[in-house]
Amino acid sequence: MLVRRNVTSLAPALAAVILLTAGCGGRGDAESGSEKPASSATPHGYVEGAAEAAEQQSRLLLGDPGSGDTRVLDLITGKVHDAARSPGATALTTDGRFGYFHGADGTRVLDGGAWMVDHGDHVHYYRAKIKEVGEVPGGTGTSVRSDAGVTVVTSADGKASVYPRAELEEGALGTPARLPGTYAGAVVPYAEHLIALTGERGGPARIAVLDRSGKQVAAPEAECEDPQGNAVTRRGIVLGCAEGALLVHEDDGAFTAEEIPYGEDVPRRERAVEFRHRPGSSTLTAPAGKDAVWVLDVTDGAWTRVETGPVVAANTAGEGSPLLVLETDGALHGYDISVGKETAVTGPLLKTTPEAGADGTPAPVIEVDRSRAYLNDPEGKRVYEIDYNDDLRVARTFDLDVRPSLMVETGR
């Protein structure tokens, strides 16, 4: 069954024209990151200690919760690099450059050494050394959200601290600034401000726009019942709510919140509570119970429910690309989102069960960039690279010496 609701019309998206300007810095060795600009003048986009490249420098950060072993897979060179162990890590998240290994007692920060800087009319891609940064306080349930200026760590009890991004990039945690009060979800940096939810966790929450010191400067008229999940898109911040989603958007210094309701009654167990998408895309995915996937087109303000087989993981590149779903048969399935029809199947590629992820063991994930998708196979100790534009063809298989139960992609 396919259910589609067109709810609201949003302003046209900002286009990202990806090119490097003539004045960009040179390229250097992937690991040394030590090449200096040829000119005595500092080139546009120059970053000390990093080499600039003309294309995306993707790397996969991989973790084995059982052993604590950590690896970094360079998708440009195909090389696998060791990193310090993360014993006790049960989850791994990223902001596009740093990997955050979440454990019971704290969150370890690893600089993956690959990132991009979006200047609006062009993009810079960089690669540098992989390096340890340190560990921030906050156990299970800690959320980490970043922008170019700050990284905000929100603990499970709603307390939030702001870390200077420049110091993280230098390899140090720096001195965080503690935000006043507590919050009902992750505090998200956006448009040189912080987007927070006030109220009791699990109940109705209201949006508060804070300055970087934590002072409230705006409060868009909107309420989010039972907030769960959020995502940063070019359109703004998406917050998952009981009735659908809220889109918080900034325009010329003014903040607004638009409702994107499901358009129907959705049981709690079938709500979108954890969004996945390609960074830079405005098309989000989330499981809709056990046998379906929600696709949220933020541009059109529309939810689409795609009926699938039993879902283990889902993602999409958006913009006309297929919905990718790893199902409990171990195969990767592709669906045409517009009609809800299955268009391709590859596999089975790995062993999965209907209980995948239910016992506390991380379930496999699908990471997506502009041309490829990546699927981790913990049991097989490998990662698959999938060409989703070619009937889900397996383009490369990376064999590993660890179980890559945790995986994120950086450099995007």
Side-chain angles (χ1 to χ4, degrees):
M1 178 181 72
L2 178 68
V3 179
R4 186 174 178 85
R5 296 286 187 267
N6 290 314
V7 179
T8 185
S9 176
L10 304 177
L14 297 174
V17 181
I18 299 179
L19 67 106
L20 292 172
T21 61
C24 292
R27 305 169 201 164
D29 179 78
E31 293 309 307
S32 69
S34 60
E35 181 171 310
K36 302 297 182 183
S39 169
S40 58
T42 301
H44 169 69
Y46 171 66
V47 175
E48 185 176 0
E52 187 167 3
E55 63 180 2
Q56 182 173 290
Q57 301 296 296
S58 294
R59 291 173 177 173
L60 296 178
L61 308 188
L62 306 164
D64 181 344
S67 66
D69 290 333
T70 303
R71 301 288 186 268
V72 180
L73 170 58
D74 191 317
L75 295 170
I76 303 299
T77 65
K79 294 181 179 180
V80 179
H81 303 275
D82 292 345
R85 297 174 66 251
S86 295
T90 56
L92 173 59
T93 59
T94 186
D95 55 19
R97 174 173 177 172
F98 296 91
Y100 302 97
F101 292 80
H102 302 268
D105 301 318
T107 298
R108 172 190 166 217
V109 185
L110 174 67
D111 186 346
W115 69 95
M116 61 168 280
V117 177
D118 188 347
H119 284 212
D121 62 342
H122 65 281
V123 175
H124 294 273
Y125 298 105
Y126 299 99
R127 57 193 294 121
K129 288 183 179 180
I130 301 160
K131 57 188 178 185
E132 297 294 323
V133 179
E135 184 172 296
V136 298
T140 304
T142 296
S143 300
V144 183
R145 302 289 185 269
S146 304
D147 68 2
V150 298
T151 292
V152 183
V153 178
T154 310
S155 59
D157 61 5
K159 297 177 182 178
S161 297
V162 180
Y163 289 78
R165 185 73 174 183
E167 297 196 38
L168 287 180
E169 293 170 354
E170 291 295 323
L173 294 176
T175 303
R178 171 82 164 82
L179 294 180
T182 58
Y183 303 95
V187 177
V188 184
Y190 170 65
E192 300 183 0
H193 289 75
L194 305 174
I195 306 303
L197 290 169
T198 60
E200 296 295 328
R201 290 195 170 210
R206 300 194 67 83
I207 298 168
V209 180
L210 315 176
D211 65 16
R212 293 296 165 98
S213 69
K215 179 183 177 181
Q216 183 169 315
V217 296
E221 288 294 329
E223 188 174 88
C224 183
E225 180 78 28
D226 192 18
Q228 294 194 60
N230 59 74
V232 181
T233 76
R234 287 186 177 275
R235 297 284 184 175
I237 306 298
V238 174
L239 305 172
C241 308
E243 300 299 322
L246 283 178
L247 174 65
V248 182
H249 175 69
E250 182 269 343
D251 184 15
D252 197 24
F255 289 83
T256 59
E258 300 183 55
E259 296 181 355
I260 309 178
Y262 290 119
E264 60 182 80
D265 291 331
V266 175
R268 181 182 175 85
R269 65 182 180 279
E270 296 180 7
R271 296 174 189 167
V273 298
E274 184 178 356
F275 297 106
R276 296 191 66 84
H277 70 304
R278 175 181 62 79
S281 167
S282 294
T283 305
L284 311 181
T285 65
K290 293 183 177 180
D291 302 308
V293 174
W294 286 114
V295 179
L296 173 58
D297 186 327
V298 180
T299 302
D300 290 342
W303 291 94
T304 299
R305 180 185 170 106
V306 179
E307 300 293 341
T308 65
V311 178
V312 176
N315 211 333
T316 183
E319 302 169 3
S321 298
L323 169 64
L324 307 177
V325 183
L326 174 66
E327 300 182 11
T328 55
D329 60 2
L332 189 65
H333 299 249
Y335 292 86
D336 183 325
I337 297 171
S338 64
V339 297
K341 179 182 178 182
E342 185 176 272
T343 57
V345 180
T346 295
L349 298 174
L350 61 158
K351 294 180 180 180
T352 61
T353 68
E355 293 77 29
D359 60 355
T361 302
V365 298
I366 302 169
E367 290 285 312
V368 180
D369 59 33
R370 289 185 175 275
S371 62
R372 294 290 190 267
Y374 297 92
L375 173 65
N376 57 327
D377 177 7
E379 289 291 331
K381 294 186 177 181
R382 62 177 68 94
V383 171
Y384 294 102
E385 180 182 76
I386 306 294
D387 185 346
Y388 54 78
N389 289 316
D390 187 16
D391 293 328
L392 309 188
R393 175 178 61 87
V394 177
R396 292 187 290 180
T397 301
F398 299 98
D399 293 316
L400 304 163
D401 64 345
V402 298
R403 293 167 55 93
S405 298
L406 304 175
M407 181 180 77
V408 295
E409 183 177 356
T410 64
R412 299 177 292 181

